[in-house]
Amino acid sequence: MSISMAYAQANEGELYGKIIGPDGNGISDVSVIATETQNWNLTDSLGNYRLKLPTGKSEIVIRHLGYQLESYFINIGPNQSVQKNFILQIQSLSLKEVRVLARENEQSLTSTSTIGQQAIELVQATNLGDILQLLPGRPAQNPDLNTAGQAQLRETGSSSDDKIDALGTAVVIDGAPLSNDANLQVSNTATIGANGLFSTVSGGGIDLRDIPADQISRVEVIRGIPSVQYGNLTSGVIRVETMQGKAPFRGKVRLDPTTQEASLGKGIALGKSNQTLNIGFDLTHSQQDLRIPVPTYNRATANINWNSHSNNQNWRNQVNLSLLYTKDQDKGDKDAALEEKRYASDKGFRLSTKGEYKSGEKILKRLTYQASLAIRNQDSYNKQLRSGEAQPLPTSLVDGTFEVPFAPAEYYTATRIQGKPLNFYASLIQHFAVSGAKVRDRFLAGAEWRTDVNQGKGKTFDAGYLPPSSYRPRAYSDIPTLNQLSLFAENTFAFPLAGKTVQWQAGVRFDNVQPDGLFKSGFDTKWQPRTNLTYQLFPFLRLRGGYGITAKAPSLVYLYPETAYFDALSYMYYSANYPDESLALMTTHTFDSKNNHLRFMTNRKAEVGFDLTAGKWSAHATFFNEQTRNAYSFNDVAAAFRYPVYDTYFYIPGNGEKPQLDEVNVDTLTYRNAFLKPANSLNIDRKGIEFTLQAPQIQQTGTSFNLSGAWTTNTSWSDVPDILEISRNFPNNPNGYIGMYESNKTKRELFLTTLRIVQHIPVLRFVATVALQNIWIDKYESTFRGSVPVGYIDENGNTLPLTSAQAKNDFPFLIRTVDPVTYETVNRPALWNLNLKLAKEIGKNYRFSFFANNMFMHNPAYANNRTGYIEKRNPALYFGGELAFHF
């Protein structure tokens, strides 16, 4: 900023005019936005607008709900006033142009895709996850509301990394980032990590099923290096704008083999007070198999947007209230003999506000603010039948040897997890701008605060049912609050170089988790520099590149895992004839599974690309390289302790007394096992290329072609060795040593293309999209690195390291061999899939849509050379339709 201020004058011009509709009348509350500066103006009741612009060339975007988005480039001189009237067309299939696909944002400094309202409607999505299938390189999938939806921006199909990719994806709705960091709906972190015996996204990203597509007007996906305004992320940003402003009454009914959905919405102007109110509702039911009552998924949502602005348009504000109820149920068939039940419900609200104040100063341009509060009540329940022999049931929460009751041979357990996550977010950003005849400089500085806490009852067990073995109650109210303070600053500088335009963005972000002061932390701090550069080499060709560091703080499930409980049997006598004389002693030992050395998960991103525009032809390509380090996972940690073992001293069956124990001759043994502990152990390297090619529409037929795709390789490995308990039973291992082995390294390679043929017939108000997807490369390989142990656990529970030479010379019995077939490369043959989408408007008020996925039922069989199993490839045939209307 200081460089530009030294020689650039604050020169501005003004653009004014009128926005009119097809009937020639002015349209009120139309947003007129300068893309580069984000300066804005809303049309008045007659459609008039007036907008300040920097001198030179600027892109103007004109948007209004229900109308076709328009964009234009305007050249303005210093202190010049230019009049320009625009005509907005009502969004309809009768127009010459329809926008049914994702578009690469040619004004963005990094790889970004934008999906507009018309594309969202015609993709026939039920939630945000379905919309993301329009991104380049995304494999075709059938809608599935019975499985939690996790965001995957650059996908290779590596399931082990999916949760981390979703955790590192920021989902921002109307400017407020959603948070899953206080989600603690897990069964037992010490035994199964951030998972549950029910549907849960704890330890991962936002469940995309919670965001109905019918309440979304626009989606922008940043896959590259984001502005420093966006934090607490590693993968990218999904920016969602919900329905707002005045709009006709709208409704939709959707039916397919598993899902029934209905939605309604309406936007109204509140008198002449510069205020609008937009309300939307959604009801959805999904049943995985219509022949079986469960599993099912139910969703009910409401979204309310209240927008207002001052008469002079120096200030505007939006208040959003979102209500949500969902329930996953995958057990509880009333006709089944067992009384098992399993469900996960979620209900709550999110209240947010964002606003902007324009100062009117030449340098001090805009002050933006944002605040949001989200509270949810989460209830997960698992009632399960356990059968076998009568066994002791430990319940102690402290170390020691205790008498414990016997669980019957067959009994029900009922575990309930009640969470109440609360997420608060606030930010304040000051925007500065200076423009001259040839240079433009924009600078911003801001701060934000995040709070995540869970005030739920936690893990409890229903009265009348015994708890599962090794499970203990836990109160979430005892878990500390997670706070994060962030500061950031960024400069975007546009200047000429060799007669061409250069745009350079450079910024830095500072994150402080559990701050003890501005720069002191009770956990960790992270500086994150980021930069993007574009060069307009020719009028039709723009080159771009970028590099940056992004970081994601751990969620509560990683920061504060539950205590690991181990129970060793010190004595047991069970009498079926005299159950009151039965006696069991168990020694409980606890281990703190908290990792005090946990740090930020980071991603170093680098990318280069080009944007080519020649007439109505356009091509975009991005080469990217990402290195994720310190990703969160749960890893095995050795657990060992000494415990007493008693013998019977005196017992007479049937005398009404329990056995007396010999407390003199007490044996002592070592209990050895392992538990899961969070760590920064996972590493992911990802590189590849994404591309999109758009051909112009053939005017005579109304046909257009779009080719998109991606080649991606994904390599992941863990820094923490695996504990192989079965190694204690290896031959020639008399002491029962347990080997520790380096984990495997996995690599996944995927190359796919999608050719979309769009046939548009305006006179019939009809559009059809045929998507031919080809997977050219689908390769998976796993490098076996765990033949020679890198350490072992001895008979006393001590963990000892080993060099390769030591292992081979002194511990040959711990060296393991594996069938080479297990680690052969899986290289699936090329695969194609054809999907169809149709939409037909009936008059001006109705639209019928139909889709068929894998319409030719192409499901070739593949014999996996590693597993020997036969795989059925491609999603199954899936079809459905919807009827939409507006008045």
Side-chain angles (χ1 to χ4, degrees):
M1 178 179 177
S2 59
I3 298 176
S4 63
M5 287 182 65
Y7 66 87
Q9 298 178 351
N11 294 325
E12 288 183 331
E14 185 180 62
L15 179 69
Y16 70 96
K18 191 170 185 178
I19 309 296
I20 58 178
D23 57 1
N25 295 321
I27 308 173
S28 63
D29 293 316
V30 177
S31 297
V32 184
I33 306 169
T35 303
E36 183 182 351
T37 64
Q38 288 298 297
N39 194 17
W40 56 271
N41 191 260
L42 296 175
T43 58
D44 60 20
S45 59
L46 299 177
N48 298 310
Y49 73 93
R50 192 172 292 271
L51 184 67
K52 293 285 188 181
L53 294 175
T55 56
K57 188 177 181 180
S58 296
E59 184 190 36
I60 306 301
V61 174
I62 303 169
R63 296 169 53 193
H64 192 283
L65 189 62
Y67 287 82
Q68 191 87 316
L69 181 144
E70 300 292 346
S71 62
Y72 302 88
F73 284 94
I74 299 292
N75 268 304
I76 274 191
N79 301 316
Q80 182 183 14
S81 293
V82 175
Q83 181 179 5
K84 180 71 174 178
N85 297 331
F86 298 98
I87 299 176
L88 280 190
Q89 299 291 339
I90 297 175
Q91 192 169 280
S92 169
L93 297 182
S94 64
L95 300 180
K96 290 184 178 181
E97 181 185 10
V98 292
R99 300 171 181 177
V100 300
L101 305 176
R103 295 194 170 196
E104 294 304 296
N105 190 334
E106 297 176 357
Q107 301 305 311
S108 174
L109 301 182
T110 189
S111 52
T112 305
S113 298
T114 301
I115 305 170
Q117 182 187 356
Q118 192 171 45
I120 293 171
E121 290 179 349
L122 297 180
V123 80
Q124 302 174 53
T126 63
N127 62 84
L128 177 59
D130 294 339
I131 298 173
L132 298 183
Q133 290 201 45
L134 292 175
L135 298 178
R138 287 297 300 269
Q141 296 175 339
N142 286 334
D144 183 10
L145 289 176
N146 294 106
T147 304
Q150 294 283 268
Q152 307 296 322
L153 301 187
R154 284 173 170 161
E155 184 174 5
T156 58
S158 177
S159 59
S160 61
D161 306 333
D162 285 353
K163 199 164 198 174
I164 288 300
D165 289 342
L167 176 66
T169 301
V171 179
V172 180
I173 296 186
D174 294 328
L178 305 187
S179 176
N180 193 48
D181 287 342
N183 188 330
L184 292 170
Q185 298 303 106
V186 293
S187 295
N188 190 335
T189 58
T191 56
I192 59 175
N195 297 298
L197 300 176
F198 35 75
S199 177
T200 181
V201 292
S202 180
I206 297 298
D207 192 341
L208 301 183
R209 298 177 301 172
D210 296 349
I211 308 171
D214 292 342
Q215 296 176 11
I216 298 174
S217 64
R218 185 172 180 267
V219 176
E220 184 179 75
V221 180
I222 304 172
R223 300 184 302 279
I225 295 92
S227 164
V228 295
Q229 297 177 69
Y230 302 105
N232 208 30
L233 61 94
T234 52
S235 302
V237 184
I238 302 174
R239 294 181 56 204
V240 177
E241 295 181 13
T242 59
M243 299 287 189
Q244 51 190 290
K246 183 180 178 181
F249 179 77
R250 63 188 184 274
K252 184 183 293 183
V253 176
R254 174 190 171 98
L255 297 172
D256 63 43
T258 65
T259 304
Q260 303 86 49
E261 180 182 17
S263 64
L264 294 173
K266 171 68 175 174
I268 59 174
L270 301 178
K272 298 182 180 180
S273 58
N274 300 329
Q275 301 179 51
T276 60
L277 185 68
N278 196 295
I279 303 175
F281 302 94
D282 170 89
L283 286 173
T284 303
H285 171 76
S286 179
Q287 191 167 319
Q288 194 173 62
D289 190 332
L290 295 178
R291 299 166 298 179
I292 306 172
V294 287
T296 61
Y297 171 81
N298 293 286
R299 179 184 70 196
T301 66
N303 192 71
I304 304 170
N305 270 318
W306 172 47
N307 292 71
S308 60
H309 61 86
S310 61
N311 289 329
N312 61 7
Q313 299 204 27
N314 285 339
W315 170 83
R316 67 173 175 177
N317 188 70
Q318 175 188 347
V319 176
N320 173 265
L321 175 63
S322 177
L323 306 175
L324 171 72
Y325 169 80
T326 65
K327 186 173 184 179
D328 275 287
Q329 186 164 334
D330 56 1
K331 280 200 173 184
D333 184 353
K334 63 181 180 180
D335 297 324
L338 298 178
E339 297 179 6
E340 293 187 330
K341 181 185 294 185
R342 186 159 60 217
Y343 66 79
S345 69
D346 194 347
K347 55 181 179 288
F349 74 91
R350 177 173 50 85
L351 179 65
S352 67
T353 183
K354 72 171 183 177
E356 179 178 338
Y357 173 72
K358 294 190 292 186
S359 65
E361 301 292 333
K362 291 186 177 297
I363 296 178
L364 201 67
K365 293 296 184 181
R366 298 181 295 125
L367 178 68
T368 59
Y369 58 88
Q370 179 87 48
S372 68
L373 174 68
I375 299 177
R376 289 193 173 186
N377 284 288
Q378 299 173 326
D379 182 15
S380 302
Y381 185 78
N382 182 43
K383 181 182 178 184
Q384 188 174 2
L385 178 67
R386 295 178 180 259
S387 58
E389 298 180 351
Q391 293 291 333
L393 185 63
T395 58
S396 175
L397 299 176
V398 297
D399 292 0
T401 302
F402 308 95
E403 181 178 347
V404 299
F406 279 89
E410 185 174 275
Y411 65 102
Y412 282 98
T413 67
T415 306
R416 186 182 297 273
I417 313 291
Q418 293 173 289
K420 191 177 182 180
L422 182 150
N423 315 109
F424 174 76
Y425 171 84
S427 69
L428 191 65
I429 305 174
Q430 178 63 59
H431 300 260
F432 307 82
V434 175
S435 64
K438 294 184 178 181
V439 298
R440 296 179 183 177
D441 198 4
R442 290 178 290 125
F443 180 80
L444 65 86
E448 69 178 28
W449 179 270
R450 301 170 190 251
T451 292
D452 297 279
V453 64
N454 197 308
Q455 300 173 330
K457 292 182 180 179
K459 184 193 303 182
T460 59
F461 309 103
D462 280 7
Y465 299 101
L466 296 174
S469 180
S470 79
Y471 276 48
R472 302 295 198 274
R474 187 193 192 195
Y476 288 165
S477 57
D478 297 337
I479 297 175
T481 299
L482 174 62
N483 293 312
Q484 182 170 335
L485 170 68
S486 301
L487 306 173
F488 49 87
E490 183 175 81
N491 191 78
T492 303
F493 189 34
F495 59 93
L497 178 66
K500 311 297 182 182
T501 300
V502 176
Q503 281 189 295
W504 178 31
Q505 181 185 78
V508 64
R509 182 183 179 92
F510 173 74
D511 288 341
N512 185 346
V513 173
Q514 305 297 50
D516 293 331
L518 190 59
F519 297 103
K520 292 183 179 180
S521 173
F523 169 74
D524 195 11
T525 61
K526 190 68 180 179
W527 290 93
Q528 303 159 59
R530 303 176 197 170
T531 185
N532 287 291
L533 182 73
T534 69
Y535 183 58
Q536 194 72 42
L537 184 61
F538 301 109
F540 57 85
L541 178 61
R542 185 183 74 152
L543 305 179
R544 52 183 164 81
Y547 173 82
I549 297 175
T550 54
K552 174 71 180 76
S555 50
L556 288 178
V557 73
Y558 297 110
L559 272 177
Y560 304 105
E562 58 189 291
T563 301
Y565 293 89
F566 291 98
D567 306 287
L569 187 61
S570 291
Y571 179 83
M572 186 180 80
Y573 172 78
Y574 179 75
S575 172
N577 296 325
Y578 307 103
D580 292 340
E581 297 178 6
S582 300
L583 177 63
L585 297 181
M586 297 202 78
T587 298
T588 296
H589 195 87
T590 61
F591 290 87
D592 185 4
S593 57
K594 182 181 178 182
N595 186 345
N596 293 317
H597 302 288
L598 211 60
R599 292 297 177 259
F600 274 100
M601 172 175 74
T602 62
N603 190 3
R604 294 178 180 268
K605 285 190 174 190
E607 67 174 35
V608 294
F610 67 83
D611 302 304
L612 177 65
T613 303
K616 293 189 176 182
W617 286 86
S618 64
H620 311 271
T622 301
F623 301 84
F624 60 88
N625 189 304
E626 301 182 7
Q627 296 179 340
T628 301
R629 296 294 181 266
N630 299 325
Y632 307 116
S633 63
F634 282 86
N635 299 105
D636 286 333
V637 175
F641 61 93
R642 306 280 287 176
Y643 68 98
V645 177
Y646 296 92
D647 287 328
T648 302
Y649 177 73
F650 177 78
Y651 172 63
I652 299 176
N655 71 346
E657 296 183 356
K658 297 180 179 181
Q660 297 181 22
L661 304 183
D662 184 352
E663 299 186 9
V664 177
N665 302 304
V666 180
D667 198 4
T668 303
L669 299 179
T670 300
Y671 181 93
R672 293 182 300 167
N673 209 317
F675 64 95
L676 293 177
K677 186 174 185 176
N680 295 110
S681 60
L682 185 61
N683 304 282
I684 305 170
D685 284 347
R686 182 176 288 129
K687 61 182 179 180
I689 177 175
E690 301 167 331
F691 58 89
T692 301
L693 174 64
Q694 178 66 54
Q697 185 184 74
I698 301 172
Q699 296 298 323
Q700 293 82 353
T701 62
T703 308
S704 60
F705 299 86
N706 177 279
L707 178 66
S708 65
W711 169 77
T712 308
T713 64
N714 190 94
T715 305
S716 60
W717 70 95
S718 175
D719 293 330
V720 176
D722 297 328
I723 298 176
L724 190 66
E725 291 191 50
I726 196 174
S727 60
R728 72 168 77 193
N729 299 320
F730 283 0
N732 304 314
N733 186 6
N735 295 318
Y737 293 157
I738 300 175
M740 302 171 64
Y741 303 87
E742 194 173 4
S743 66
N744 298 334
K745 178 179 284 190
T746 61
K747 181 180 179 181
R748 180 73 189 269
E749 182 178 359
L750 186 67
F751 173 43
L752 66 81
T753 60
T754 304
L755 175 64
R756 291 183 171 92
I757 305 171
V758 181
Q759 179 61 57
H760 178 215
I761 308 177
V763 67
L764 297 180
R765 296 176 175 262
F766 173 83
V767 65
T769 303
V770 176
L772 174 63
Q773 185 167 99
N774 290 88
I775 298 179
W776 305 102
I777 300 175
D778 187 356
K779 188 184 296 185
Y780 172 84
E781 60 184 69
S782 181
T783 304
F784 179 55
R785 306 192 300 169
S787 176
V788 178
V790 295
Y792 70 100
I793 304 171
D794 66 15
E795 69 275 21
N796 296 315
N798 300 309
T799 300
L800 304 170
L802 285 175
T803 64
S804 179
Q806 286 177 322
K808 293 177 181 178
N809 295 330
D810 302 332
F811 299 86
F813 49 84
L814 287 180
I815 295 176
R816 58 176 180 158
T817 57
V818 178
D819 187 348
V821 174
T822 307
Y823 293 93
E824 287 185 358
T825 298
V826 175
N827 192 359
R828 298 177 176 87
L831 179 70
W832 62 269
N833 184 15
L834 196 67
N835 300 328
L836 172 69
K837 296 185 188 297
L838 307 173
K840 172 71 173 74
E841 288 182 348
I842 306 169
K844 296 182 179 181
N845 304 111
Y846 298 91
R847 185 185 73 248
F848 174 75
S849 304
F850 173 81
F851 73 93
N853 292 345
N854 193 10
M855 58 184 295
F856 290 124
M857 301 177 64
H858 181 58
N859 297 106
Y862 169 71
N864 191 307
N865 54 296
R866 289 183 66 225
T867 64
Y869 293 122
I870 303 297
E871 302 175 0
K872 185 179 179 181
R873 304 185 68 193
N874 265 339
L877 170 67
Y878 196 89
F879 57 89
E882 64 181 35
L883 179 65
F885 58 87
H886 66 271
F887 297 102

